[in-house]
Amino acid sequence: MDFKFKKKYGQNFLTDTNLLRAIVGDAGVQENDNVLEIGAGAGALTEQIALATSGKVVSIEIDRELEPILKKNLSKYSNVEIVFGDILRIAPSEIAAKFEGKPFRVVANLPYYISTPIIFYLIESALPITSITVMLQKELADRICAVPNTKDYGGITVILGLYGSIRKCRDVPRNMFTPQPNVDSSILSINIDENHRADISDISKTVKICFAMRRKTITNNLMHGLNQPRDRVEQVLLECGIDATARAESLDKENYIALTQTLKQQNLI
Ligand code: SAM
C-alpha cells in the first residue's frame, strides 16, 4: 500500500482477517443490518462488515488521501458508501438521512485521540443506534467497565452504563495494528437501552457537572455547575435521597437518574 500513515489521525490499521471477522461477530451484525463505521482507513473492516450484511454500510473517513485506496478495495461492494469528513462536524441529521431514518449499528476501530468525544457524539445525538461495538485503548475500555468507588469509575462509566448494557468482548494486543501503537486495545460492545436513548443528553449534563472536580463533594460541584446556592442544592439532594457530602464516584446509575429528573422538574438543567 503506497500510503503514508498519519499519526495525527490515529491511523493504526488492522489487516488480520480473523480479527476483523471476529469484530463483526462481536457486533452481532446480521444479514439486513445497516451499519455506520467511523474511520474507514484502507477499508479492511468495512469490507468484512459489507460481507456480513446486505444492508447499507456507511463509513465516515476524515482523510481524503485514502480515497483511491478505498475505491480500489471496496469497488465490488455496492452497499458501501464512504463519506469524507470529520465525524464530529457531521450533523446527526445527515447520518440519519443516509439510513432513511432507520435503526443502525455502529462498528469501528476508533482513532485513539478522539475516542471519547466520538462516543459522546454518538450517545448525545439521539440517533436510532441499536448497538455500538468499538475498539478502544484498553485503559479507556477498563474505565468504561469500572464499578462505583474505584479510581477508574468516571462520568463516561455512568453515562454509558445508562445508555445500554456493556460487554467487553476481547483484548487486542498492539502488535495486531499497522503501524504498531504504544498501547493495547480492547473491544467493547454496548447494546442500547431504548428507554434511555431520549433522555441521555440530560443525564449526561448532570454527570459531567457532578464529576467536574472529582475530589469535591457533589454539593460543591452542583453549586458551581448550576450556579445555585448551597441550600438549594442540598434541598434537591435531600429530595433524591442522596447524601450531600457524597462524591460523584460513590453514586450509582439510579442516583443519577433520580437527580436528573429532579433537576429537570425544577428547571435547573
Ligand atoms: N477501520 C480501519 C482499520 O480498522 O484498519 C482504520 C482504523 S484507524 C484506528 C482510524 C481511522 O479513523 C483512520 O483511518 C483515520 O484517518 C480516521 N479518522 C480519524 N479521525 C477521524 C474523524 N474525526 N472523523 C472520521 N474519521 C477519522
Side-chain angles (χ1 to χ4, degrees):
M1 185 165 57
D2 180 23
F3 175 73
K4 257 201 158 145
F5 292 98
K6 297 181 189 70
K7 209 172 175 184
K8 67 169 179 176
Y9 288 150
Q11 290 178 341
N12 304 101
F13 292 179
L14 295 172
T15 50
D16 185 282
T17 311
N18 287 333
L19 175 59
L20 291 159
R21 280 200 198 119
I23 298 171
V24 177
D26 290 337
V29 175
Q30 308 283 317
E31 169 58 20
N32 291 311
D33 283 347
N34 293 319
V35 179
L36 173 70
E37 185 193 16
I38 295 149
L45 181 57
T46 326
E47 177 170 28
Q48 292 306 321
I49 299 167
L51 285 169
T53 178
S54 50
K56 186 158 183 189
V57 181
V58 175
S59 188
I60 317 280
E61 174 53 59
I62 198 168
D63 188 359
R64 273 245 168 226
E65 282 183 29
L66 286 162
E67 192 167 9
I69 297 169
L70 284 165
K71 273 207 172 120
K72 182 168 156 273
N73 291 350
L74 298 171
S75 59
K76 59 177 178 226
Y77 301 100
S78 57
N79 57 335
V80 173
E81 179 180 348
I82 307 289
V83 176
F84 287 96
D86 177 346
I87 177 70
L88 300 180
R89 287 170 182 273
I90 295 178
S93 57
E94 198 183 315
I95 294 175
K98 296 277 175 207
F99 296 110
E100 296 168 351
K102 295 193 188 110
F104 59 90
R105 294 181 189 274
V106 175
V107 183
N109 171 16
L110 289 179
Y112 293 128
Y113 76 110
I114 46 163
S115 299
T116 303
I118 292 175
I119 289 174
F120 276 105
Y121 168 92
L122 292 171
I123 65 178
E124 289 172 1
S125 69
L127 282 163
I129 301 171
T130 54
S131 70
I132 300 179
T133 305
V134 278
M135 176 93 74
L136 300 169
Q137 184 171 340
K138 186 170 179 299
E139 285 72 17
L140 176 57
D142 288 345
R143 260 193 283 143
I144 290 171
C145 298
V147 293
N149 292 311
T150 59
K151 165 172 83 41
D152 276 350
Y153 186 75
I156 195 164
T157 322
V158 179
I159 294 165
L160 281 182
L162 282 166
Y163 190 58
S165 58
I166 306 171
R167 186 168 55 92
K168 184 171 177 178
C169 307
R170 66 190 69 238
D171 289 327
V172 179
R174 61 192 76 186
N175 64 10
M176 298 301 287
F177 298 83
T178 309
Q180 187 173 312
N182 296 325
V183 292
D184 295 313
S185 296
S186 304
I187 295 170
L188 288 192
S189 190
I190 308 160
N191 274 319
I192 313 309
D193 179 349
E194 285 177 41
N195 297 325
H196 285 309
R197 202 188 269 149
D199 55 19
I200 201 80
S201 201
D202 292 324
I203 293 176
S204 178
K205 265 186 230 158
T206 311
V207 172
K208 281 178 186 166
I209 291 171
C210 293
F211 275 94
M213 287 171 287
R214 277 188 82 103
R215 281 186 301 192
K216 301 239 173 195
T217 62
I218 179 166
T219 303
N220 273 313
N221 277 328
L222 287 166
M223 283 166 59
H224 189 77
L226 301 171
N227 203 14
Q228 292 295 323
R230 179 176 295 276
D231 54 349
R232 179 86 198 268
V233 169
E234 285 180 349
Q235 183 58 36
V236 167
L237 291 170
L238 188 68
E239 283 172 37
C240 305
I242 297 172
D243 176 1
T245 64
R247 289 187 168 70
E249 67 197 38
S250 67
L251 303 192
D252 63 17
K253 292 192 263 184
E254 280 63 38
N255 291 141
Y256 282 106
I257 294 173
L259 181 55
T260 305
Q261 278 166 353
T262 308
L263 291 174
K264 272 210 95 169
Q265 278 157 10
Q266 302 192 15
N267 289 323
L268 289 170
I269 54 166

